Amino acid sequence: MKKKMVCYIVMAALMLSLLVGCSSEKISDSTPESVAYSSYSDVKIGICIYQLADNFMSLFSNELVSYLVSKGFSRDNIILLGSANNDSVQLSQVEELIAGGAKALIINPVNSSVAHSITDLAASHNIPLVYINREPSGDEENRWESYQLDVCYVVCDARQSGIYQGELLLTLGNKALDRNGDGKIQYFMIEGAPENIDAGYRTLYSVSTLKNADLQLDCLLDEVGNWDCATAQLIVRKGIKEGLIPEVIICNNDAMALGAIEAVEQAGLKPGEDVYVVGVDALPEAIEMVQEGKLLGTVYNDYVLQSHLAADAAINYLQGNGNEHYIGCDYVKVNRDNAQDIIDAINNKK
Ligand code: BGC
């Protein structure tokens, strides 16, 4: 019922703006709440993370909270909620945050489709909104532009991370990768989550980078590991037990790469010698594995920069200033040669 009401309000506002021929005006005709604040200590900010147990999102959200505190927000006014990977839970959390007086929202959507309703809720209350990590659909982003909504999205382009995974493997050359010398690279693909844009792009671009370099590929297994270490471990263990022997394991993230490495070792194979594993994120444990030679490489998913950009975007909105609707940042390839530099760079940026 509440959702319907919000829909009606937003639709009415949209129709009004069309009638007066000013589709570029704000979605609501009331004065935006964004006023310049001289201090943020009393300003409430709401954050929803699709699932707090996610290794990467937990690093991201910790950094986001500390950065907001460093910018003058009081820890008590930063409401950080985990959405239990459930979009209706997330939607009611957004309603509660708005009802509780949040002046800005930073949301890691459970999936791209829930973003539409979240945007409706925020826009109808004039609350600025910053999406992080999971991309809302293209139509949704067009709406922010058309109606000049105070909504933006901060992210690294997942295509780049897939390309970098492919390039990390290519540094070894075809001969080293093709351990059994049959002219093809037997590989396992462990994907993040179904219908997740990052997962789709990483899968597609890692493989196409290898194909574009004229490698012959033989996919032995392609399964969804839900971004999770234990699930990936089970998948790889089962695959090897069934007699599938990969030369390469490509994982959409590091948590799953760590699980894959464990399964490879349990099967009596040597990661980094018998099987080459690559991940994405540069989790601290994964960088250690790179230094030990068990993980061939990973791709730094710059959570420090992304969390700072997201907080800065929210602050810009609170100050009455706008943001670009898409705020991007770059991934960085991590191998044994630069692993220590990456650790140092992460620590320096915090
Ligand atoms: C990260 C994953 C994480 C996912 C959550 C991705 O960008 O690489 O580790 O699980 O985001 O959405």
Side-chain angles (χ1 to χ4, degrees):
M1 188 63 200
K2 228 176 183 177
K3 257 192 256 167
K4 254 190 185 166
M5 262 313 273
V6 172
C7 250
Y8 291 148
I9 294 168
V10 173
M11 273 168 60
L14 292 179
M15 281 168 68
L16 184 74
S17 69
L18 286 174
L19 274 176
V20 294
C22 55
S23 60
S24 62
E25 286 198 0
K26 297 244 174 222
I27 198 163
S28 163
D29 55 352
S30 64
T31 312
E33 269 201 41
S34 42
V35 281
Y37 291 91
S38 53
S39 145
Y40 300 116
S41 57
D42 292 329
V43 179
K44 264 197 189 166
I45 189 152
I47 304 169
C48 288
I49 301 296
Y50 93 95
Q51 178 151 266
L52 280 177
D54 181 288
N55 304 50
F56 176 73
M57 289 318 299
S58 124
L59 284 176
F60 192 124
S61 47
N62 287 342
E63 183 59 29
L64 178 58
V65 170
S66 350
Y67 186 70
L68 284 166
V69 170
S70 79
K71 290 284 165 180
F73 289 85
S74 143
R75 178 64 192 88
D76 293 343
N77 286 329
I78 303 170
I79 321 295
L80 171 68
L81 304 172
S83 306
N85 204 13
N86 179 318
D87 50 9
S88 21
V89 168
Q90 187 162 70
L91 218 43
S92 33
Q93 288 174 335
V94 170
E95 285 171 357
E96 279 161 29
L97 288 167
I98 293 175
K103 296 288 182 243
L105 295 169
I106 299 179
I107 306 290
N108 169 215
V110 168
N111 52 45
S112 18
S113 51
V114 73
H116 192 94
S117 309
I118 294 177
T119 302
D120 282 352
L121 276 169
S124 59
H125 290 85
N126 288 312
I127 312 275
L129 170 61
V130 180
Y131 285 110
I132 50 170
N133 173 257
R134 292 182 158 193
E135 187 164 8
S137 66
D139 286 356
E140 172 57 16
E141 290 178 26
N142 295 339
R143 210 161 63 113
W144 313 339
E145 184 64 41
S146 307
Y147 298 106
Q148 294 198 356
L149 303 183
D150 278 352
V151 183
C152 67
Y153 171 52
V154 175
V155 80
C156 299
D157 182 343
R159 284 170 280 212
Q160 189 185 37
S161 53
I163 293 171
Y164 283 174
Q165 285 190 299
E167 289 177 354
L168 283 163
L169 288 162
L170 286 176
T171 54
L172 288 180
N174 195 8
K175 210 164 161 218
L177 292 173
D178 185 14
R179 302 231 359 121
N180 65 10
D182 69 349
K184 289 181 186 168
I185 312 297
Q186 276 75 34
Y187 76 99
F188 286 3
M189 173 64 73
I190 315 292
E191 300 198 31
E195 291 170 41
N196 179 282
I197 296 175
D198 278 16
Y201 277 154
R202 286 177 191 167
T203 301
L204 190 69
Y205 281 82
S206 54
V207 169
S208 59
T209 303
L210 298 175
K211 283 189 179 158
N212 291 343
D214 287 335
L215 260 60
Q216 299 301 310
L217 300 179
D218 179 10
C219 179
L220 301 179
L221 175 159
D222 184 341
E223 285 190 33
V224 169
N226 287 320
W227 304 112
D228 177 55
C229 179
T231 313
Q233 188 182 349
L234 287 178
I235 293 171
V236 172
R237 194 170 66 185
K238 183 166 168 279
I240 297 178
K241 265 195 175 162
E242 285 169 1
L244 304 173
I245 305 297
E247 292 161 332
V248 163
I249 304 182
I250 304 174
C251 300
N252 283 173
N253 78 349
D254 279 349
M256 298 191 296
L258 295 172
I261 287 174
E262 231 167 293
V264 165
E265 285 183 322
Q266 281 166 350
L269 296 168
K270 284 199 173 150
E273 284 183 34
D274 301 321
V275 186
Y276 298 106
V277 184
V278 286
V280 175
D281 282 341
L283 297 179
E285 316 83 288
I287 304 184
E288 256 175 51
M289 290 282 174
V290 172
Q291 288 177 315
E292 285 173 31
K294 292 185 178 181
L295 182 62
L296 175 70
T298 181
V299 184
Y300 179 41
N301 190 356
D302 195 340
Y303 66 90
V304 179
L305 182 58
Q306 289 173 74
S307 57
H308 295 190
L309 289 172
D312 288 340
I315 291 170
N316 274 344
Y317 283 138
L318 289 169
Q319 289 299 339
N321 302 323
N323 288 294
E324 294 291 327
H325 292 292
Y326 178 90
I327 303 172
C329 76
D330 279 326
Y331 283 98
V332 183
K333 253 183 269 181
V334 185
N335 58 23
R336 225 170 169 171
D337 297 338
N338 70 347
Q340 190 54 49
D341 297 342
I342 296 289
I343 298 175
D344 296 342
I346 297 174
N347 291 336
N348 285 338
K349 269 200 255 173
K350 282 189 186 174

